[in-house]
Amino acid sequence: MSINELRITFQHREADHSVVQRTTHRFSGRYAVSVENGGDAFLVCLAGSIDGPQQLEREFWAALLDDILRMRIENETAPLRRLIVEAALRSALREPDIA
């Protein structure tokens, strides 16, 4: 069995570094992975037994898009989640009403 390598390069403006790392980590169970940050682009390398490189690249891009959208939603809803947690804590710490 030979080792094949798939290299995927894209610009920084397409995704945050932490998102790229998260996406790449998803593939670490099946491939040896690395993320290199060079200049204005990321280079993601997936190494292992790769039967369909085009399919694997499509799978990577779909996973990256999913992680980008999850991060965007997480950032947009962070203030609301903080308010909900604060309200729950205030409610839990409130003295019980004695009837």
Side-chain angles (χ1 to χ4, degrees):
M1 179 187 326
S2 65
I3 299 290
N4 296 319
E5 186 173 80
L6 175 65
R7 294 173 173 265
I8 304 170
T9 304
F10 51 96
Q11 301 299 310
H12 286 156
R13 69 179 178 274
E14 296 181 59
D16 184 68
H17 189 258
S18 63
V19 174
V20 174
Q21 287 177 319
R22 182 184 303 169
T23 302
T24 304
H25 178 71
R26 286 190 192 188
F27 292 82
S28 65
R30 297 182 295 170
Y31 304 99
V33 300
S34 68
V35 177
E36 296 175 27
N37 189 353
D40 63 345
F42 293 113
L43 172 62
V44 173
C45 295
L46 305 172
S49 178
I50 300 172
D51 294 329
Q54 293 85 9
Q55 175 61 30
L56 179 57
E57 187 169 355
R58 283 192 300 272
E59 187 181 338
F60 181 85
W61 281 108
L64 181 62
L65 177 59
D66 183 61
D67 285 334
I68 290 169
L69 294 174
R70 287 175 186 273
M71 179 66 80
R72 186 174 298 154
I73 291 168
E74 184 177 315
N75 290 338
E76 290 174 359
T77 61
L80 178 59
R81 286 183 284 117
R82 275 193 296 275
L83 286 173
I84 291 169
V85 169
E86 288 173 10
L89 287 173
R90 270 189 250 110
S91 176
L93 297 174
R94 191 175 8 168
E95 301 252 346
D97 293 332
I98 299 176

